[in-house]
Amino acid sequence: MKVILTKTYEEGAQKGAEIILAALKNKPDLLLGLATGETPLGIYKRLIEAYKAGEADFSRARTVNLDEYVGCREEDSYRKFMFDNLFDHINLAHDSITIAGHKADPGAEVSRLRGFFERNTVDLQLLGIGPNGHIGFNEPGEALEALVHVTPLAEATVQANARWFADGAVPTQAITMGMGDILRARSILIMIKGESKRGVLRELLHKTTVTTQNPATFLHLHPDVTLIAEESLT
Ligand code: GLP
């Protein structure tokens, strides 16, 4: 695992954006795996700036999102988050975007997305992390699922994500890429932001054991992972 420690979040977001922009330059039809949450916002801001400055062209790129809530309102969906914070501001073709439907039948979405991952390999997967070590919505537990699946959200996740919902009512289920889908990406970029992630970050940095109780530790099994975090969290 390549570790980049930065003085500030902004510096880390800049480095993350540079890695994505370099990958896009190298492969204009890049399949980019995307994450939601607070962590990637600084990266998305810089991707938009690069596009507006004529330094990035997303016209041939494709994206797939890690996860989506099941049965949430449009305004609370990760789909809307992605359009508001990235897709509406760059020249990515809308038919190049893959994201689970928050209103669609979850079983049908699981089949559709499993098919997608049978046919496509993610070139670069961007990840955040939950305070409990979840990646996507692969929650800690006795076992982890390899493929796209519907999952109940851990109580810790419902609490951590309540801040995004005006009424505090977080959906209790989500569709997520499985651990195998994530680990099959050609390269992975994980950014870790926030005091609540200190414990899981330390476990990643100071141990090389893999445990289903901290799903992010499975990244130790991947040959090309870059981790970006603030020095002060380590
Ligand atoms: C959600 C998403 C994760 C994300 C996590 C962290 O649970 N499913 O993919 O990494 O939130 O979010 P934040 O970056 O806001 O801390």
Side-chain angles (χ1 to χ4, degrees):
M1 189 175 291
K2 182 178 168 201
V3 178
I4 301 177
L5 296 177
T6 60
K7 293 253 177 289
T8 63
Y9 166 75
E10 295 301 325
E11 197 191 322
Q14 178 63 33
K15 293 240 189 294
E18 282 167 12
I19 290 169
I20 294 173
L21 291 169
L24 181 66
K25 201 154 243 169
N26 189 40
K27 190 174 182 198
D29 61 347
L30 190 78
L31 175 55
L32 190 55
L34 295 174
T36 49
E38 208 174 304
T39 308
L41 283 175
I43 294 181
Y44 295 158
K45 188 169 146 244
R46 282 163 181 81
L47 296 183
I48 294 167
E49 282 166 6
Y51 166 67
K52 291 199 166 144
E55 291 157 9
D57 176 13
F58 294 89
S59 62
R60 293 177 56 203
R62 293 174 306 142
T63 65
V64 58
N65 265 80
L66 271 172
D67 47 22
E68 177 61 282
Y69 292 112
V70 169
C72 68
R73 291 174 301 202
E74 171 67 21
E75 63 263 37
D76 294 328
S77 67
Y78 282 161
R79 162 177 288 275
K80 181 162 190 318
F81 174 98
M82 290 307 307
F83 275 86
D84 287 352
N85 293 296
L86 184 64
F87 299 155
D88 276 343
H89 312 285
I90 58 175
N91 65 335
L92 180 72
H94 285 190
D95 60 2
S96 300
I97 293 167
T98 299
I99 184 164
H102 54 287
K103 290 281 187 232
D105 169 57
E109 285 302 90
V110 166
S111 305
R112 180 176 75 89
L113 292 165
R114 285 190 177 193
F116 178 87
F117 287 111
E118 271 168 26
R119 296 186 306 274
N120 299 282
T121 301
V122 172
D123 291 300
L124 174 59
Q125 177 66 53
L126 176 62
L127 295 176
I129 191 171
N132 62 1
H134 76 221
I135 49 179
F137 272 128
N138 293 277
E139 300 282 24
E142 284 203 356
L144 296 170
E145 169 59 54
L147 303 180
V148 174
H149 60 286
V150 175
T151 178
L153 299 182
E155 187 48 40
T157 302
V158 171
Q159 281 172 22
N161 291 359
R163 68 193 197 279
W164 294 99
F165 293 79
D167 56 3
V170 188
T172 52
Q173 281 198 318
I175 298 186
T176 183
M177 276 167 74
M179 293 299 292
D181 302 314
I182 293 173
L183 292 172
R184 274 190 301 278
R186 292 196 170 90
S187 61
I188 296 178
L189 173 61
I190 179 165
M191 188 165 185
I192 301 186
K193 173 178 191 268
E195 199 55 44
S196 65
K197 322 282 176 66
R198 191 183 281 275
V200 284
L201 171 63
R202 285 204 170 149
E203 197 172 336
L204 270 181
L205 291 181
H206 303 302
K207 289 189 193 169
T208 48
T209 41
V210 167
T211 165
T212 59
Q213 299 303 330
N214 179 356
T217 57
F218 276 71
L219 298 175
H220 287 305
L221 303 178
H222 192 281
D224 185 3
V225 177
T226 303
L227 181 155
I228 300 179
E230 282 161 82
E231 219 170 77
S232 60
L233 284 182
T234 64

